[in-house]
Amino acid sequence: MTDTWLVTGGAGFIGRVVVEQLLAWTEGPQVVVLDAMTYAAHPVALRAVGESYAGLPESSRLTIVEGDVADGVLVSKLMARVRPRVVLNLAAETHVDRSLSNNAPFVRTNVEGTEMLVRASVDCRVERFVQVSTDEVYGDRVGRRAARETDGVEPTNPYAATKACGDALVQAAVRSSGLDAVITRGCNTYGPGQFPEKLLPLAALRWGADQPMWVYGDGLQERVWLHVDDHAAGILAAARVGTEGAVYHFSGGRPRTNQATLESWRRALGLGGRPDDYLRRVADRPGHDRRYALGDQETRRQLGWAPRRSWRSGLRATAKWLASNPQFWASSLEQHGVSAFFAAQYGEPPVVAS
Ligand code: TYD
């Protein structure tokens, strides 16, 4: 029987790298991507990944299906047809600020979508289900130790709440339907191809247009950063050798303040100036978590996983990629109401026409 892996959200930022790493395995599986191709997806880049492998036509290892993970009929039909052995669920709405202004798409994709996928996976006797989640489900860690793999969830924003719900549905299916699933939770991820609504690519976009980057509140909120290649490698390690029902954490090191992160990023981009000139303080995000921190000791021990990229080399490689792909998101920024969202959020679009 063919070994097929279904990757939902495979045209997204982390999903695309997961697909690339799967295709890089020699004798690796057939990969089927299901992706709704919403604003943060990049189908052209995903097709290029498929085409770059061994000079084979895309169809030989990678099949791309456009569709909504919350469409139960579509998901059941697709699963019955392709019979995946493994399902990796990376389909998600992820931007906290968007969830604060309209959480409906988050509930649909992150909660209903997960439920549809879980049900179809039980019906199709999938051997391994991986739910890709986030450190945000643990809520604010200020004044507290880093979250451990066995800790309970305490989400504080609508996005994190939908991810925690999705995770709970997966955990319930492990207990009550015999689904062999694992859950992965990573910290803030960065790297090539990230949509410029997140901190680092948005700053690069702003600075590239000679605009200051917006900093929420005092800029002293802390996040841990992980390169996307390391995050994807962790997800695949959990898929291959994780223990049924377990939660795995992928942390990138120590928490850094947003202000310090932006200063390092500015240097990696080879740009100078004083923070007062290239940063602009704006109103804080409602309910903004001051600190995220993940402990990943158990994960490292059990999966043999560790991040390979240092912060400095990861930032430099990302800056290099941006310099060679300046137009990567150009058409998307004009579509899907993205500019309108920025204008409503910050009072101006990301790039102000001069
Ligand atoms: P983000 O990339 O949205 O990830 P998350 O909220 O999931 O951690 O934001 C990272 C941090 O940067 C977060 O503390 C919010 C802050 N931030 C800003 O200060 N300004 C911005 O314009 C954005 C998008 C984020």
Side-chain angles (χ1 to χ4, degrees), residues 94-97 134-136 157 159 187-189 194-203 206 213-217 219-225 257-259 261-262 280 282-285 288-292 342 345-346:
T94 64
H95 191 42
V96 175
D97 298 313
T134 166
D135 60 355
E136 298 204 23
N157 66 56
Y159 155 66
C187 61
N188 281 61
T189 304
Q194 187 170 33
F195 191 77
E197 64 188 351
K198 301 290 170 71
L199 187 71
L200 297 186
L202 182 57
R206 295 280 295 165
M213 173 58 185
W214 299 294
V215 176
Y216 296 158
L220 298 180
Q221 304 85 1
E222 292 176 294
R223 298 290 185 268
V224 180
W225 295 91
T257 66
N258 291 338
Q259 165 105 20
T261 297
L262 287 168
R280 181 191 298 161
V282 295
D284 207 352
R285 176 188 274 173
H288 199 169
D289 290 331
R290 291 293 289 178
R291 183 172 204 262
Y292 291 142
F342 279 113
Q345 172 80 7
Y346 301 99

Side-chain angles (χ1 to χ4, degrees), residues 52-84:
S52 69
Y53 273 86
L56 299 168
E58 179 197 299
S59 58
S60 62
R61 285 283 301 283
L62 173 66
T63 310
I64 302 171
V65 179
E66 182 170 343
D68 181 355
V69 77
D71 179 341
V73 174
L74 179 141
V75 169
S76 307
K77 278 193 183 156
L78 178 68
M79 300 264 288
R81 184 158 56 82
V82 304
R83 292 262 150 208

Side-chain angles (χ1 to χ4, degrees), residues 207 212-213 215 259 262 274-281:
W207 294 337
M213 173 58 185
V215 176
Q259 165 105 20
L262 287 168
R274 292 177 318 130
D276 280 353
D277 296 327
Y278 63 73
L279 302 178
R280 181 191 298 161
R281 310 227 173 267

Side-chain angles (χ1 to χ4, degrees), residues 17-340:
V17 180
V18 166
V19 169
E20 185 157 17
Q21 292 187 4
L22 272 174
L23 293 179
W25 293 353
T26 37
E27 309 293 317
Q30 292 288 321
V31 180
V32 177
V33 163
L34 173 64
D35 197 301
M37 303 300 173
T38 52
Y39 73 96
H42 206 302
V44 175
L46 178 63
R47 277 197 293 276
V49 165
E51 282 155 15
S52 69
Y53 273 86
L56 299 168
E58 179 197 299
S59 58
S60 62
R61 285 283 301 283
L62 173 66
T63 310
I64 302 171
V65 179
E66 182 170 343
D68 181 355
V69 77
D71 179 341
V73 174
L74 179 141
V75 169
S76 307
K77 278 193 183 156
L78 178 68
M79 300 264 288
R81 184 158 56 82
V82 304
R83 292 262 150 208
R85 187 173 69 80
V86 179
V87 172
L88 308 179
N89 184 23
L90 288 107
E93 290 291 338
T94 64
H95 191 42
V96 175
D97 298 313
R98 279 180 178 261
S99 77
L100 288 162
S101 63
N102 177 16
N103 203 34
F106 291 71
V107 172
R108 180 166 172 90
T109 303
N110 304 356
V111 183
E112 291 172 40
T114 300
E115 174 64 8
M116 295 308 162
L117 211 55
V118 160
R119 287 296 125 223
S121 297
V122 170
D123 291 347
C124 288
R125 296 191 169 74
V126 161
E127 286 179 26
R128 166 60 39 109
F129 185 103
V130 180
Q131 165 75 353
V132 177
S133 185
T134 166
D135 60 355
E136 298 204 23
V137 297
Y138 297 112
D140 202 335
R141 304 304 294 186
V142 75
R144 305 171 71 184
R145 63 162 171 74
R148 294 192 188 122
E149 290 89 341
T150 45
D151 281 345
V153 297
E154 298 173 63
T156 56
N157 66 56
Y159 155 66
T162 62
K163 287 303 288 182
C165 282
D167 296 1
L169 292 169
V170 172
Q171 275 161 331
V174 171
R175 270 293 286 267
S176 59
S177 305
L179 181 68
D180 180 331
V182 297
I183 294 175
T184 67
R185 294 178 179 149
C187 61
N188 281 61
T189 304
Y190 73 99
Q194 187 170 33
F195 191 77
E197 64 188 351
K198 301 290 170 71
L199 187 71
L200 297 186
L202 182 57
L205 187 71
R206 295 280 295 165
W207 294 337
D210 260 335
Q211 312 285 330
M213 173 58 185
W214 299 294
V215 176
Y216 296 158
D218 60 9
L220 298 180
Q221 304 85 1
E222 292 176 294
R223 298 290 185 268
V224 180
W225 295 91
L226 178 67
H227 191 275
V228 65
D229 289 351
D230 286 327
H231 194 159
I235 291 166
L236 293 182
R240 294 171 91 172
V241 299
T243 307
E244 178 179 334
V247 171
Y248 295 104
H249 284 177
F250 308 123
S251 183
R254 63 177 175 83
R256 297 165 199 277
T257 66
N258 291 338
Q259 165 105 20
T261 297
L262 287 168
E263 287 172 12
S264 308
W265 182 219
R266 180 97 184 165
R267 277 194 297 279
L269 289 165
L271 299 170
R274 292 177 318 130
D276 280 353
D277 296 327
Y278 63 73
L279 302 178
R280 181 191 298 161
R281 310 227 173 267
V282 295
D284 207 352
R285 176 188 274 173
H288 199 169
D289 290 331
R290 291 293 289 178
R291 183 172 204 262
Y292 291 142
L294 269 187
D296 59 8
Q297 262 187 348
E298 261 314 295
T299 300
R300 288 177 187 235
R301 204 176 59 74
Q302 286 187 30
L303 302 184
W305 173 89
R308 292 176 169 203
R309 276 268 190 206
S310 72
W311 175 231
R312 266 176 125 212
S313 93
L315 283 184
R316 256 192 267 126
T318 308
K320 204 168 157 197
W321 178 88
L322 268 173
S324 358
N325 295 273
Q327 296 301 313
F328 195 77
W329 289 113
S331 59
S332 311
L333 286 174
E334 296 318 313
Q335 294 164 24
H336 311 294
V338 171
S339 280

